[in-house]
Amino acid sequence: MARLSTHILDTARGKPAAGVRIDLYSVSSEARVHLKTTVTNSDGRTDEALLSGETIPMGAYQLEFQAGDYLRACGLELPDPAFLEVIVIRFCVSEASGHYHVPLLLSPYGYSTYRGS
């Protein structure tokens, strides 16, 4: 089964990032189309895959993580505006039957991502 998933780890606090809003878009040269909005659970994961099925459409996608809202909700004192308000990760699906996992490692002043398993 093909799927797209994500999770977020708060590396500054050493635990999963719960309550982060994530927006998923498909992206083409003509438009960006909103596909889904979800929020991470207590394990820093979404309750269901962002996309799943026998195959998922190949092409470009964009995940937007509302990092600033999350960091403020944790009680961190951030500059206004925060250094990281919205983290945008644009990536491409080239295997319709593949599993794409796009984790986010987050801190108030930096982040990283990779294609996970």
Side-chain angles (χ1 to χ4, degrees):
M1 176 173 254
R3 59 187 259 141
L4 169 62
S5 59
T6 188
H7 77 273
I8 308 171
L9 297 176
D10 181 333
T11 58
R13 298 173 65 215
K15 60 187 197 176
V20 180
R21 182 178 138 194
I22 304 167
D23 295 296
L24 172 65
Y25 297 88
S26 65
V27 181
S28 70
S29 59
E30 294 84 39
R32 183 179 77 147
V33 177
H34 181 261
L35 300 176
K36 187 173 202 169
T37 296
T38 189
V39 176
T40 56
N41 59 27
S42 62
D43 196 33
R45 299 177 184 278
T46 59
D47 288 333
E48 58 186 42
L50 298 170
L51 296 174
S52 65
E54 286 298 314
T55 62
I56 56 177
M58 294 190 307
Y61 292 89
Q62 183 167 299
L63 287 169
E64 294 185 3
F65 300 88
Q66 302 299 319
D69 291 344
Y70 164 76
L71 293 167
R72 279 187 288 280
C74 289
L76 296 173
E77 288 189 35
L78 301 173
D80 187 21
F83 180 69
L84 296 173
E85 280 293 342
V86 179
I87 297 172
V88 177
I89 300 173
R90 189 172 286 188
F91 60 96
C92 294
V93 168
S94 59
E95 301 169 36
S97 60
H99 177 196
Y100 288 80
H101 184 66
V102 184
L104 179 69
L105 305 177
L106 172 65
S107 74
Y109 294 95
Y111 69 92
S112 65
T113 190
Y114 54 93
R115 181 177 174 185
S117 58

